[in-house]
Amino acid sequence: MDETSTTLAYNFVREGILSGRFQAGAHLRETELATALGSSRTPIREALRLLDAEGLVEITPHRGARVCSWSHDEIRETYALRLLLEGEAARRAAALIKSDALSQLSLFATEMKQALQSGSPDRFATVAELNNRFHRVIHQSSGDSLLSSTLSSIIMASMVKNTFSIYTAVELSRSMNHHQELITALEHRDGDWAEAVMRCHIQAARWVTKPRPLELSLNVHQEVQLSPHTTTPSFPSEGNQIPRRGGSQ
Amino acid sequence: MDETSTTLAYNFVREGILSGRFQAGAHLRETELATALGSSRTPIREALRLLDAEGLVEITPHRGARVCSWSHDEIRETYALRLLLEGEAARRAAALIKSDALSQLSLFATEMKQALQSGSPDRFATVAELNNRFHRVIHQSSGDSLLSSTLSSIIMASMVKNTFSIYTAVELSRSMNHHQELITALEHRDGDWAEAVMRCHIQAARWVTKPRPLELSLNVHQEVQLSPHTTTPSFPSEGNQIPRRGGSQ
DNA sequence: ACTCGCCCCATTGCACACAATCATCTAGGA
DNA sequence: TCCTAGATGATTGTGTGCAATGGGGCGAGT
């Protein structure tokens, strides 16, 4: 959008952190980055300040910027807050969501399933990106811009850790089914249901990040079992299934 | 703490905005601020970026920084989020709060009442400051640093608008009584109760910010009626009163 | 052998200069 | 008279040099 050196540097470093090229705890030297980008230190400094405010790096005076690392407790805190805020966002989105947003959600859900079944080597990155967009659509449909932007800044931490490659087949299919159920709840304009599903979705994701035996999480997800939803229904849902409603809370 | 030029500039501008010396929408010129502070533009720029990230100013490329103004909708969104997050913080604080934090709360509550009854010209600023500290103690007692820091950044918006000088006598006394009830709920380690009171407290404050006839809000608060709590009980409350419990939600 | 203190170097903090951009004012033409 | 295009001034974006700070290594003393 705006091709200033600062935003360039910002995107470069941010991308580097999210992709894992800059590992947690790494020291980001201003001169190094400046020469790497062919600019001076000034825009680099500003970019680092921005990332500091965003929580991706931590700047200590006279000692420079380090890539943030999150403890297990901090990750837990992130999910606890997401539980609260994403649940609220889903509830509000149910009342306000536009039809084109709903079709976007369906599109993203379908593309996620396709990416998983494609077996492509970077499918997990693709799913992560699509998943972020999926959630962002819901946030924005809540009609509360503060809620939406607060969520954006909070989710950062889980984005670095959560690569989907550690999901088991069962967990992946559960996650995909949550997406589908969410879409249905939103189509029905059922805020209680949407909130309940979202809370399931976040809580389930929270368990995935816990440390656990390795044999569970490595390459077991070749065959992903999905509910028979592969063709997404057109927008005003024909009410093909009305499962039990989840109550509030 | 750290007397760098950047933090100096940061505090200067921040103070200026919160005190109202820089009015909403005002254009903050870098050179102006630099000469005013006797420094160069570099630390000013960094301070402005920080304030931009915090949401106090808005920077548009090549056009500089403007003091943010909040629409009524945005203020409403702030209170909606506070309702959610401060309620949660109060609930968790009930389980974890330390005795010295409780005595701090009592102290702040007492000082607020004294400030109001003193009739000093800057009593409202004093109450606002004490009120912020009161809430911050609860946030920090929640044991969730992410929740606490998120609240800090969100509350910013309400801090600029909410000066307590627009409170009527009834509203002020209600607010003070909420503080007292909160302390009691926390002393009893009753998370449900604490959350319920906090939600009352926030929701009541939300109404105050609504536009309304002037005669209600100007200098009617000479006589503030308080519940008979003026002497704060020592920490492990002797259970002098156990009012109705507020359920969750 | 271990600890304490000093010095040097890497790195950041800040000032200043110049380039790029935007807003406003003015002049010219339809 | 109104609209548009160009020029000009004000303001921000970026590069560079120097000062200040902090950490690590080396040496001396215990």
Side-chain angles (χ1 to χ4, degrees):
Chain A
M1 185 164 311
D2 185 24
E3 280 302 307
T4 71
S5 292
T6 300
T7 59
L8 216 72
Y10 172 80
N11 289 326
F12 177 75
V13 178
R14 181 191 157 96
E15 201 68 24
I17 295 176
L18 260 51
S19 74
R21 219 178 66 248
F22 298 137
Q23 290 182 2
H27 187 182
L28 298 175
R29 270 167 275 266
E30 296 177 356
T31 51
E32 239 174 68
L33 293 171
T35 55
L37 278 161
S39 71
S40 88
R41 276 174 49 218
T42 311
I44 306 286
R45 283 178 66 80
E46 296 196 347
L48 288 177
R49 305 292 158 154
L50 281 178
L51 292 163
D52 175 62
E54 233 177 272
L56 276 178
V57 308
E58 188 183 359
I59 293 180
T60 43
H62 297 289
R63 294 184 57 183
R66 305 182 75 82
V67 179
C68 268
S69 60
W70 288 280
S71 69
H72 243 67
D73 275 354
E74 288 166 318
I75 299 279
R76 246 184 352 106
E77 290 178 354
T78 301
Y79 277 100
L81 250 195
R82 283 188 69 178
L83 205 62
L84 216 62
L85 297 183
E86 296 230 34
E88 180 73 10
R91 164 182 296 278
R92 298 198 193 179
L96 299 174
I97 194 165
K98 299 276 201 307
S99 63
D100 58 339
L102 270 173
S103 25
Q104 275 187 60
L105 290 181
S106 290
L107 180 65
F108 291 152
T110 311
E111 287 178 341
M112 276 188 262
K113 291 180 203 163
Q114 287 173 352
L116 281 179
Q117 288 171 338
S118 77
S120 150
D122 58 347
R123 67 204 143 165
F124 296 122
T126 308
V127 170
E129 173 64 25
L130 287 167
N131 185 59
N132 281 331
R133 285 196 217 162
F134 184 95
H135 282 263
R136 191 150 40 218
V137 166
I138 295 181
H139 303 164
Q140 290 170 351
S141 296
S142 74
D144 188 324
S145 57
L146 180 61
L147 179 58
S148 176
S149 66
T150 302
L151 269 166
S152 298
S153 65
I154 284 174
I155 285 177
M156 206 60 59
S158 21
M159 276 176 63
V160 180
K161 293 280 180 184
N162 194 359
T163 74
F164 284 102
S165 61
I166 60 170
Y167 275 61
T168 65
V170 174
E171 287 162 349
L172 270 176
S173 98
R174 177 159 47 218
S175 185
M176 297 300 115
N177 290 334
H178 282 156
H179 289 158
Q180 210 60 60
E181 188 176 352
L182 248 173
I183 292 174
T184 310
L186 291 171
E187 282 172 345
H188 286 249
R189 305 265 179 248
D190 188 329
D192 287 339
W193 190 9
E195 179 179 4
V197 178
M198 183 60 94
R199 291 179 69 97
C200 287
H201 188 55
I202 304 288
Q203 190 67 27
R206 188 174 176 184
W207 275 99
V208 173
T209 65
K210 287 215 169 185
R212 53 185 177 177
L214 273 181
E215 69 270 14
L216 272 182
S217 61
L218 286 180
N219 293 331
V220 200
H221 31 58
Q222 301 307 333
E223 285 303 316
V224 176
Q225 196 68 354
L226 297 174
S227 299
H229 267 291
T230 42
T231 65
T232 55
S234 59
F235 158 53
S237 158
E238 58 270 34
N240 44 6
Q241 53 156 238
I242 306 195
R244 53 161 176 68
R245 298 281 176 89
S248 70
Q249 232 298 331
Chain B
M1 182 161 316
D2 185 24
E3 279 301 308
T4 71
S5 291
T6 300
T7 59
L8 215 71
Y10 171 81
N11 289 326
F12 177 75
V13 178
R14 180 191 157 97
E15 202 68 24
I17 295 177
L18 260 50
S19 74
R21 220 180 63 249
F22 298 138
Q23 289 184 1
H27 188 180
L28 299 174
R29 270 168 274 266
E30 296 176 356
T31 52
E32 239 175 66
L33 293 171
T35 55
L37 278 161
S39 70
S40 91
R41 277 175 49 218
T42 311
I44 305 287
R45 283 179 67 80
E46 295 194 348
L48 289 176
R49 304 293 158 153
L50 281 178
L51 291 163
D52 174 62
E54 233 178 272
L56 276 178
V57 309
E58 188 182 0
I59 293 180
T60 43
H62 296 288
R63 294 186 57 183
R66 303 182 77 82
V67 179
C68 268
S69 60
W70 288 280
S71 69
H72 244 68
D73 275 355
E74 288 165 319
I75 300 280
R76 248 186 350 107
E77 290 177 355
T78 301
Y79 278 99
L81 250 194
R82 284 187 69 177
L83 205 62
L84 216 62
L85 298 184
E86 296 230 34
E88 180 73 11
R91 164 183 295 281
R92 298 197 192 180
L96 299 173
I97 194 165
K98 299 276 202 307
S99 63
D100 57 339
L102 270 173
S103 26
Q104 276 187 59
L105 290 181
S106 290
L107 179 65
F108 291 153
T110 311
E111 288 178 341
M112 275 188 264
K113 290 181 205 164
Q114 286 174 352
L116 280 179
Q117 288 171 339
S118 78
S120 151
D122 58 348
R123 68 205 141 157
F124 297 122
T126 308
V127 170
E129 174 64 24
L130 287 168
N131 185 58
N132 282 330
R133 285 197 217 160
F134 184 95
H135 282 264
R136 193 151 40 218
V137 167
I138 295 181
H139 303 165
Q140 290 169 352
S141 297
S142 74
D144 188 323
S145 58
L146 180 62
L147 180 57
S148 177
S149 66
T150 303
L151 269 166
S152 297
S153 65
I154 284 174
I155 285 177
M156 206 60 61
S158 20
M159 276 175 63
V160 180
K161 293 281 181 183
N162 195 359
T163 74
F164 283 102
S165 62
I166 60 172
Y167 275 60
T168 66
V170 173
E171 288 161 350
L172 270 175
S173 98
R174 178 159 47 215
S175 184
M176 297 302 113
N177 290 334
H178 283 157
H179 289 158
Q180 210 59 59
E181 188 176 352
L182 248 173
I183 293 173
T184 310
L186 292 172
E187 282 173 346
H188 286 250
R189 305 264 180 249
D190 188 329
D192 286 339
W193 190 10
E195 179 179 3
V197 179
M198 183 60 93
R199 290 179 69 98
C200 287
H201 187 55
I202 304 288
Q203 190 68 27
R206 189 175 176 183
W207 274 100
V208 174
T209 66
K210 286 214 169 184
R212 53 186 176 175
L214 273 181
E215 70 270 15
L216 271 181
S217 58
L218 286 179
N219 292 332
V220 201
H221 30 58
Q222 301 307 332
E223 285 303 315
V224 176
Q225 195 69 355
L226 296 173
S227 298
H229 267 291
T230 42
T231 65
T232 55
S234 59
F235 159 54
S237 160
E238 59 269 35
N240 45 6
Q241 55 156 236
I242 306 197
R244 52 159 177 70
R245 299 280 177 88
S248 71
Q249 230 300 328

